[in-house]
Amino acid sequence: MGALAGGTGLWQAAEQWPAWTGIALTAVAVGLGLKPGRLAVQRWAERSALPAGLVRYSLAHLDALDPRAFELAVCSLLRRDGLTAEHVGRAGDKGADVLVVDRSRRRVVVQCKRLRPDRRVGDQDVQRVNGTYRHDHGAQFAVIVTTGGFTAAAKASGPRYGIHLVDRDALERWADLGEPLYRILRVPDEGERRRRWAPGSWRRGNSLG
């Protein structure tokens, strides 16, 4: 019905203002053909493809995804947690696959590594994210999420640089079991704290009835 109404309106506009309608349609077509227009359409399509409501993924499902689909899955999980998340991963993304603004208004860079379960993210990947997440993206901290694991060197350097590491076990807790990411990472969440200390929240949370 929406498409029919839109088509009817366009037809009426073309009858009344044929020249202006032609110019407008031409501008839209040219705009969509240019790179910014294509990227806008692509981002709109990706946002529309992200599932709404409660989202859970098994590790088997995540293992079957290609890298881009894994990035979109991570983006949907972040939104499930109540965070503002935008998928930005593409060539030249400077270490950011998803950009997040959390409930404390902090900017967070998320890097996604869809690997085989026996593969490990190395320290060179941690160093790469460390070199960009503050200076290029203005983020307060970064997160690397993988379907595999991390080398000992990566585990040692990540926390030192303000980079949180989500390995396969933590990913299962987050994606499949539904535990919020910030709780797993032990990151303070002002939104969670405000809900916990809202008037009457103590009584509701500790009620025996």
Side-chain angles (χ1 to χ4, degrees):
M1 293 297 294
L4 180 60
T8 301
L10 182 61
W11 179 264
Q12 292 175 347
E15 287 185 333
Q16 295 182 18
W17 306 288
W20 287 110
T21 303
I23 293 172
L25 290 176
T26 301
V28 170
V30 171
L32 292 178
L34 297 175
K35 186 175 181 180
R38 292 197 304 272
L39 290 178
V41 171
Q42 182 180 7
R43 289 184 179 180
W44 176 85
E46 288 175 351
R47 284 196 295 269
S48 301
L50 291 174
L54 184 62
V55 177
R56 290 193 179 181
Y57 299 111
S58 68
L59 288 180
H61 176 84
L62 296 175
D63 287 338
L65 299 178
D66 61 39
R68 186 176 186 82
F70 178 60
E71 294 168 8
L72 290 172
V74 168
C75 188
S76 69
L77 289 168
L78 291 162
R79 293 180 179 181
R80 181 199 70 185
D81 284 359
L83 309 175
T84 301
E86 180 184 5
H87 175 245
V88 295
R90 57 183 55 86
D93 57 24
K94 295 185 178 180
D97 293 318
V98 181
L99 292 178
V100 172
V101 177
D102 67 17
R103 287 173 292 220
S104 299
R105 308 309 300 168
R106 292 170 297 197
R107 290 176 61 85
V108 183
V109 162
V110 180
Q111 171 72 212
C112 304
K113 296 291 186 182
R114 217 288 293 157
L115 304 176
R116 295 199 310 265
D118 61 334
R119 297 290 299 275
R120 299 289 180 265
V121 176
D123 187 55
Q124 69 276 10
D125 295 297
V126 174
Q127 299 289 347
R128 189 175 300 114
V129 173
N130 179 53
T132 60
Y133 83 85
R134 286 181 295 257
H135 302 297
D136 290 280
H137 302 290
Q140 277 66 54
F141 62 91
V143 180
I144 301 178
V145 183
T146 182
T147 49
F150 294 90
T151 64
K155 291 178 182 179
S157 62
R160 187 164 65 247
Y161 297 133
I163 300 174
H164 297 271
L165 308 180
V166 179
D167 62 10
R168 189 171 181 84
D169 291 338
L171 179 60
E172 182 176 32
R173 290 168 59 191
W174 181 36
D176 196 6
L177 303 182
E179 190 173 348
L181 179 63
Y182 275 25
R183 187 181 303 168
I184 296 171
L185 300 178
R186 298 182 181 178
V187 173
D189 185 344
E190 291 298 328
E192 184 72 22
R193 185 179 294 114
R194 282 194 293 270
R195 286 196 301 276
R196 189 180 301 126
W197 292 103
S201 61
W202 185 89
R203 290 191 297 272
R204 290 194 297 271
N206 292 274
S207 172
L208 297 178

